[in-house]
Amino acid sequence: MAPSINPAEDATTQFWRHHEVTTPAQAPAAAASGSITLRFVELCKFRRLGKVQLDLDRQTTILVGANNSGKTAILTALRHFLAESSPFGAFDISLSEWPALRALGVKWEALTEDPATAAQKEGDNWEDQLATLLAAMPTLDLWFDAEAGMFHYVQPFLSKLVWKGGAVGVRLRLEPASDVASLKELAWAYNLARQPVKGMSSESLAWPIDLLDYWLREPRKLGQVRPYSLDAANNPIQGIETYQTQVLAADAQPADRKHLSKLVRVDFVAAQRGLGSEEADSKSTSSSHPVGLFSNQLLKFARQHLNVAATGHGQRADLIQAVANAQKDLDQKIHDALASSVAEVKLLGYPGLHDPQEIRFRTRIHTADLLDHSTAVQYSMKGGTGEDMLPEFSIGLGYQNLQSLSYQLVSFKTARMNPEKGSPPPVHLVMIEEPEAHLHVQVQRIFPDKAHKLISPTDTNASALQSQLLISTHSSHLAHAEDFDRLRYVRRIPPSAAHPTPSTEVVDLGEVFGDDDETRQFAERYFRVQHTDLLFANAALFVEGVAERMLVPLFMELKYEKLNSRYVSFLDIGGSHAHRLRPLVEKLRIPTVVITDLDPTEKKAGPKGKMRWLATANTGQAGLRCGNATLREWHPKLQNVDDFKAPTPAQLIWTGAPDCKVRFAWQLPVAEASNQWPTTFEDSLILTNIDWFKGLNKLAEEAEAAMAGGQHKDKDKDKDKEKKVNPPTGALAEAAEVVAGAATHVDLLKALHALMHDSFSKGDFAAGIFERVAAGEDVTCPKYIADALTWLQDELDPAESVTP
């Protein structure tokens, strides 16, 4: 009978309850005291990753970062090095090493005889060539934190005879040749491949153009990955401050790869499952309906752990016996059904005396084949009766994806706990690439914790078996489900004179705020509540309030085409708190603009007569102080308002951290309003567009006069005339009326200050302007913001000049 699921429950609750499944009997874990965890990896010379150091959480590590920063490359490298079925390719070798490898190829194509049999010539230097080759290959260092009771797992990789627990290091290196003899074999194979085409120009594209091109078609010639032990005295777990990447000795001897397989198992879930070549696997062989993703995973699980194979042989004795009983009963029923037709055959004289005398029928049932159809999984809509069952393909794709991913994780755990030989490996690393491609938002928020539980052994005797999850994501919902301790920001470092090729670094966000727990908690909660996408953006733009958050992106869309095409994250955070995110901005090192208010204050008597610094309109009076904490404490660290009036480029741009620029923007005198100095974004916008607001007020007056004269009844009177703009309402009308009623710009500034500090709705005001600008009306962006957006656009487009 097809397994059924009741969708009447809350989908998320139902999912996690249902997937606490009973898997086939697990192989007993090796008796051991203590545990092992993979704590640190260092990847070198893989693709565009020159050197990447990644600190791993004991349970779940989440990689975040902008697109093309290197997240997927890190997962791919781990998979290539640790999963024997994932081969390397020529393009996995770092671009920076290509010149040295091509130079080796030039030497090898000049050979005139097989170096394996030829006499050694002066200048051959095969040992040096081997060192050059191996130095160009990708490497992966694994650092485990192991307790003393796990000695038998780590013994092959220990660097000293006496060991009482602690760090254990393993270097994995891709080796096309492991010694001079195998190097000569590789060199001569390349020479033979080059001989027919060596006289042709590279423009002919005749294979192989060079050594890299040779490996593209002959990836097996890239050799194999060999493990080496590292010196535990120099390790990043106990001493990251003094740790230095180790250099293997030329005579270092590799360990047997099987020891690493006994120590760690790796499984991988790629993004975009079900597409491309995998799509063919999701078709049922017995039905025209496509098998759902969950059905596909269920079928794979059955073939691996129930049958266990397509041959029908398996490990589950109870299933084998059940299938045998069903098969015997089915054989008899088929024989009874066909008996009359067989009797009629006998009338034709068959079988004869020397022929087989009895015709029998035998069926063959494979356990997994019982699930190989489009209705193997059904969903109960009511009480679970047959009439209330729906096949999987009629249920939402998101729910199918959720079931599929969960069952894949369960299958990984089952395979780990049931190795072909020996005991389960003590370390299990499961990597998932962008799971948000398959999960709804509400599931993304709880996915990391629940997924870790699915891959973790539940047997009480398996306490020594550690399961670790490594996830790459572009989802703020998934990333902020965890604290910063488990987030690793992958940052692309652009090329420079010192480093001509791009590289990548990984920042542990758990260490960004140091010992400032209060600020860290503020940042974590802000990110979680706001679902900010800052960790995935190319640039950041901090804005002061609702009006800026609504209108600045609109100005950017209409006036800054190149900037609008980039991934810019908007953070609605005021000047009283923006400076608290400074440590994070320093680590992310993406171009950032902070648009904030000057917040002038004046010392006045408070309600009880006590002198206090209170918000005031800036009409040029002396002695005003800046009330914005970000401008006072982060940059430009000025106190008096007058010092902000004519800022220098150095006062506008903060460069206090390496490779990090932050452009600050605050209200400046407005030329269109006789250089009056506004105090808020709304003031600046109004003073920059005085004539436009006067026009709005005129529309309001005309509409009011028309209503008073009864012209509103003549609905069809001006049908053929140009459509007029609707008069303003709400806060927009209030602002227009203030503009029209001010005799001078000084009076207008004072009136606007009084309006903004009354019951004025800035959200309604911004929404009214947004509607009109979106409809095509021309409203000018305040200059202090326009200049900052121009700077940001230039920063993201190095071909353009940088404007301060």
Side-chain angles (χ1 to χ4, degrees), residues 494-514:
S496 62
H499 303 282
T501 57
S503 57
T504 291
E505 72 170 351
V506 179
V507 178
D508 185 345
L509 294 186
E511 299 178 353
V512 165
F513 296 99

Side-chain angles (χ1 to χ4, degrees), residues 116-128:
T117 57
Q120 180 84 9
K121 296 180 180 179
E122 184 178 353
D124 281 346
N125 296 324
W126 287 103
E127 289 81 4
D128 292 343

